[in-house]
Amino acid sequence: MSQAAAQSKKVSFRAKESTACPICDENHQKEQMFQGGGRLIAGKLAQDLRRLYEKNRKFGRVSPLDYVMSVCPRCLYSSFPKDWNSLNPADNEAIRMATDSRRSYIEKILGPLDFTQDRQIVLGAASYLLGMDCYQLRGASVAPTPKKAVCAIRAAWYFSDLHEEFPHIGYDKIRDFLYQKAAVIYGHTLELMQNGNEPVDQAAGMLGPDTDNNWGFDGVIYLNAFLTKKFKDQMAPKPEDQVLLLSRAKRTLARLYGSGKASKGKPGPIVEMTRELYDEYNAILEAMGGEK
């Protein structure tokens, strides 16, 4: 079989150059996805800004999210490629010291993992859980908070898919936990956008939250409102606290909705989804006796 014919049957390939782990010095060949060739069949855009993909008859399940995170197969250090080597000594030491606990934690959830193998749904899920864990140990200079938010919502998508495939394992509980984590972290990201305690602009190119459209800071505002509405009961058990929580999210959403109406440059889908979400907020707050 020719090399071209072999490639036409594969989803991914290994980079020729080795990548060295800055934590443990392990060398590995990063896996990357082939572009084109009819591998991706785009479906609809979900309410949480996830691009759904149809199963490919030739290639089976294909997801570009599988290949985004750089993960060391030895120590399981995980990050977005941009941040792979930008570790200060304190971050490096903290991540190195947490290697055993990181492996134990991820294997309790997903079982033994081998990142020398080709990426698939389990390794994809693990890459984002590991990313959340490692960014927890990174300093403010790399803007870890918005990156943890993206990792959390992408991990939630993976556990949603895992629950569909294995409905009796309890992946739905992990999915909901991750969505709630994403809701909290997106709220913190909004605060950072206002107070400047992290250089959130550094994360602009990877805010996504998916890979086909980078909705950037508009996506942060929308997702904060979407997730707050979805998990208001968990985030604020008392009705009066829910009204305050929802009112705050609605005011931020209103600015996005207003800017969308005023600017022809805003992407159509997010403007329309923001309008629908804004109407839902009005109805919920009116039913709860809050602001209209």
Side-chain angles (χ1 to χ4, degrees):
M1 183 184 294
S2 69
Q3 185 176 2
Q7 286 184 1
S8 71
K9 296 180 180 297
K10 296 183 66 177
V11 174
S12 64
F13 64 98
R14 300 283 172 172
K16 292 180 179 179
E17 294 183 1
S18 292
T19 297
C21 174
I23 306 296
C24 70
D25 298 323
E26 176 80 2
N27 284 302
H28 62 281
Q29 270 68 42
K30 182 174 169 59
E31 187 181 4
Q32 297 172 305
M33 182 178 165
F34 279 117
Q35 300 299 312
R39 292 172 175 83
L40 284 178
I41 305 172
K44 67 178 183 178
L45 182 68
Q47 263 196 306
D48 56 3
L49 304 184
R50 180 189 187 185
R51 174 64 66 191
L52 301 174
Y53 293 97
E54 298 175 17
K55 200 164 187 177
N56 192 310
R57 294 177 68 179
K58 180 177 180 181
F59 297 98
R61 173 195 167 275
V62 181
S63 174
L65 289 178
D66 289 355
Y67 310 95
V68 172
M69 301 299 285
S70 296
V71 182
C72 173
R74 182 181 177 190
C75 73
L76 301 183
Y77 163 55
S78 177
S79 82
F80 288 97
K82 177 182 177 182
D83 301 326
W84 182 252
N85 287 310
S86 60
L87 291 144
N88 63 42
D91 292 357
N92 192 307
E93 178 66 7
I95 292 171
R96 186 182 67 80
M97 292 295 291
T99 297
D100 290 343
S101 62
R102 184 163 58 250
R103 183 175 295 280
S104 174
Y105 140 77
I106 198 69
E107 290 188 350
K108 282 179 182 176
I109 299 171
L110 291 168
L113 301 169
D114 183 359
F115 272 92
T116 64
Q117 300 297 309
D118 288 350
R119 298 273 176 107
Q120 24 70 352
I121 189 169
V122 173
L123 292 180
S127 72
Y128 291 103
L129 287 181
L130 291 166
M132 287 178 66
D133 191 67
C134 289
Y135 277 109
Q136 192 69 32
L137 302 172
R138 302 291 296 265
S141 63
V142 298
T145 302
K147 293 166 187 175
K148 283 189 295 181
V150 173
C151 285
I153 197 165
R154 289 182 180 180
W157 296 342
Y158 272 93
F159 279 93
S160 178
D161 293 348
L162 283 167
H163 176 62
E164 286 187 15
E165 287 199 31
F166 310 102
H168 305 299
I169 294 180
Y171 287 137
D172 55 330
K173 296 181 177 63
I174 302 173
R175 174 201 64 201
D176 290 347
F177 171 76
L178 287 163
Y179 268 126
Q180 291 170 49
K181 287 286 286 183
V184 172
I185 304 171
Y186 271 108
H188 292 162
T189 300
L190 273 182
E191 294 170 9
L192 291 169
M193 287 165 59
Q194 296 165 358
N195 64 33
N197 288 341
E198 286 183 20
V200 290
D201 285 349
Q202 205 188 92
M206 58 187 76
L207 281 175
D210 214 327
T211 54
D212 70 327
N213 280 307
N214 180 16
W215 304 107
F217 294 114
D218 290 346
V220 172
I221 293 169
Y222 172 86
L223 282 171
N224 173 69
F226 174 80
L227 294 169
T228 296
K229 178 182 75 73
K230 186 177 177 70
F231 294 104
K232 66 182 189 304
D233 294 341
Q234 292 83 358
M235 296 173 72
K238 294 180 180 179
E240 58 269 29
D241 292 336
Q242 288 184 14
V243 170
L244 290 173
L245 188 72
L246 291 168
S247 296
R248 188 163 57 241
K250 180 194 164 186
R251 284 193 293 274
T252 309
L253 189 66
R255 289 196 289 272
L256 174 58
Y257 180 39
S259 69
K261 289 195 298 182
S263 172
K264 294 182 179 179
K266 289 281 185 189
I270 200 166
V271 172
E272 181 60 25
M273 293 170 78
T274 298
R275 183 192 64 78
E276 292 173 1
L277 185 58
Y278 187 78
D279 291 344
E280 290 176 24
Y281 260 81
N282 281 334
I284 293 169
L285 281 166
E286 185 173 356
M288 296 178 72
E291 62 179 56
K292 297 180 182 180

